[in-house]
Amino acid sequence: MPNPLPELDLLTRDDLMKLVSRVRVRLRKSLSQHFVVDPAVIRDMVNNVPVGSQVLEVGTGIGTLTYYLARVASRVVSIEVDGRLLRYAENLLRGVGNVSLVSGDALRMPWPKVDFVVSNVPFSITSPLIMRIIREGVPGALLTIQREVANRIMSRPGDEDYGRLSVVVQCVYNITRINDYAPDAFYPSPEVYSSLVKLTRTSPCIDDLQMLELTTNVLFRHRNRKLRWVLSKYLGSEAIRRVGDCGVNMETRIRDLSINEIVRIAKSLMEFRDELDRLVH
């Protein structure tokens, strides 16, 4: 059977638009569905996947990225929640032996053990997907996400975008921004720019990641308040004493706390885990 798509270095926007034009389904706004129509996005993603790796793709779409991932990966498992699009992908990928297509919600179903998660992430699931990647302990990920989310996960203490997602992601992954893309790299065009980021797992800053999640969830409810005020509001004087004993300045505003300081706070609040859990859930 002839290849349905050209070699990656010969792929053009016209090739991608022709595929998209054949899709006779109304895209669901609730699923934040956008097709990649700029070949640079696909090349950047595929060229950053280690040859021979096992890949989980979240969001098959019509299978274009899947097709090229299969050229470099040893195995691709691709999950798509929209069964209508999956039928187009099955047709495009017929005869590609190292791809398994799965119908379902990638946030709810079990994941296979893989080396990399790759996704042109639907904007509606960006944060939940990143948190799932962290909890699954995936060694690496390549994600096309909103540029403002990329800014957020890469932000440093004191930055306007610095928040709980910055802390939790940087605790577990080194982050590299590979490229930015204008809205017309996708169809239909979103209203914002997108960024491709690469996450490479490193030694976590804390063993108990759940405790870090609970702590940051409460602290960053009031990022402009001082640490003492937040602890007093939610946990009381004993928590203030415990955190004070670990050497963190109580007059520091939450937005200015370093990741190391937040880890020390989380460790000092271990006996308040149940209370933090109630506050969050």
Side-chain angles (χ1 to χ4, degrees):
M1 161 179 185
N3 290 332
L5 286 166
E7 294 299 319
L8 183 55
D9 59 350
L10 299 177
L11 182 67
T12 68
R13 185 182 184 92
D14 283 345
D15 293 323
L16 295 172
M17 287 301 298
K18 284 177 184 176
L19 281 176
V20 169
S21 68
R22 297 174 193 162
V23 179
R24 305 297 184 190
V25 298
R26 184 184 297 274
L27 297 183
R28 294 172 179 168
K29 190 173 182 180
S30 63
L31 296 179
S32 309
Q33 292 172 323
H34 300 278
F35 298 119
V36 176
V37 292
D38 182 349
V41 179
I42 295 178
R43 280 193 279 268
D44 286 345
M45 298 185 84
V46 173
N47 289 339
N48 280 279
V49 173
V51 174
S53 57
Q54 298 192 60
V55 171
L56 172 67
E57 182 188 21
V58 175
T60 314
I62 59 174
T64 313
L65 175 59
T66 322
Y67 176 84
Y68 289 106
L69 286 173
R71 297 294 194 89
V72 296
S74 62
R75 178 176 69 118
V76 179
V77 176
S78 189
I79 302 173
E80 174 56 56
V81 71
D82 190 337
R84 304 169 308 161
L85 294 183
L86 204 58
R87 287 191 286 274
Y88 283 88
E90 288 169 348
N91 184 59
L92 181 69
L93 297 165
R94 188 173 292 120
V96 181
N98 61 335
V99 171
S100 299
L101 299 181
V102 180
S103 177
D105 184 343
L107 295 180
R108 298 178 181 275
M109 62 194 309
W111 285 7
K113 290 293 183 183
V114 294
D115 305 309
F116 255 76
V117 170
V118 177
S119 182
N120 173 35
V121 183
F123 289 173
S124 59
I125 67 166
T126 303
S127 292
L129 179 61
I130 291 173
M131 295 307 299
R132 177 78 189 267
I133 289 168
I134 291 170
R135 292 168 187 150
E136 292 285 337
V138 179
L142 279 163
L143 308 173
T144 307
I145 58 179
Q146 306 101 303
R147 186 166 64 179
E148 59 263 35
V149 177
N151 293 341
R152 194 184 314 157
I153 65 175
M154 299 182 76
S155 291
R156 300 299 180 186
D159 290 349
E160 183 179 350
D161 294 322
Y162 183 66
R164 62 182 301 259
L165 195 61
S166 319
V167 174
V168 176
V169 177
Q170 291 177 39
C171 174
V172 185
Y173 289 96
N174 292 323
I175 309 163
T176 304
R177 189 197 303 263
I178 293 171
N179 213 341
D180 294 326
Y181 310 103
D184 65 3
F186 306 89
Y187 179 85
S189 297
E191 296 179 355
V192 298
Y193 274 69
S194 299
S195 297
L196 175 60
V197 295
K198 185 175 185 176
L199 307 182
T200 305
R201 194 167 179 87
T202 185
S203 298
C205 65
I206 187 173
D207 292 333
D208 192 340
L209 285 172
Q210 184 187 50
M211 188 64 193
L212 184 67
E213 287 185 50
L214 293 172
T215 303
T216 53
N217 183 294
V218 172
L219 292 181
F220 280 95
R221 293 178 183 183
H222 305 279
R223 67 185 306 276
N224 294 318
R225 290 284 192 169
K226 293 180 179 179
L227 177 59
R228 183 187 302 276
W229 186 93
V230 177
L231 291 175
S232 176
K233 175 178 176 63
Y234 291 108
L235 298 174
S237 58
E238 179 60 20
I240 293 173
R241 186 184 71 78
R242 292 279 183 174
V243 174
D245 287 345
C246 79
V248 179
N249 185 347
M250 286 292 164
E251 303 311 308
T252 305
R253 296 190 186 277
I254 301 302
R255 67 180 185 232
D256 295 321
L257 290 168
S258 69
I259 294 177
N260 179 264
E261 288 174 319
I262 293 171
V263 167
R264 283 153 60 194
I265 293 167
K267 289 179 177 178
S268 69
L269 293 177
M270 289 291 187
E271 69 178 77
F272 296 89
R273 177 191 289 272
D274 289 345
E275 196 165 348
L276 289 167
D277 190 66
R278 284 193 296 272
L279 287 167
V280 171
H281 299 111

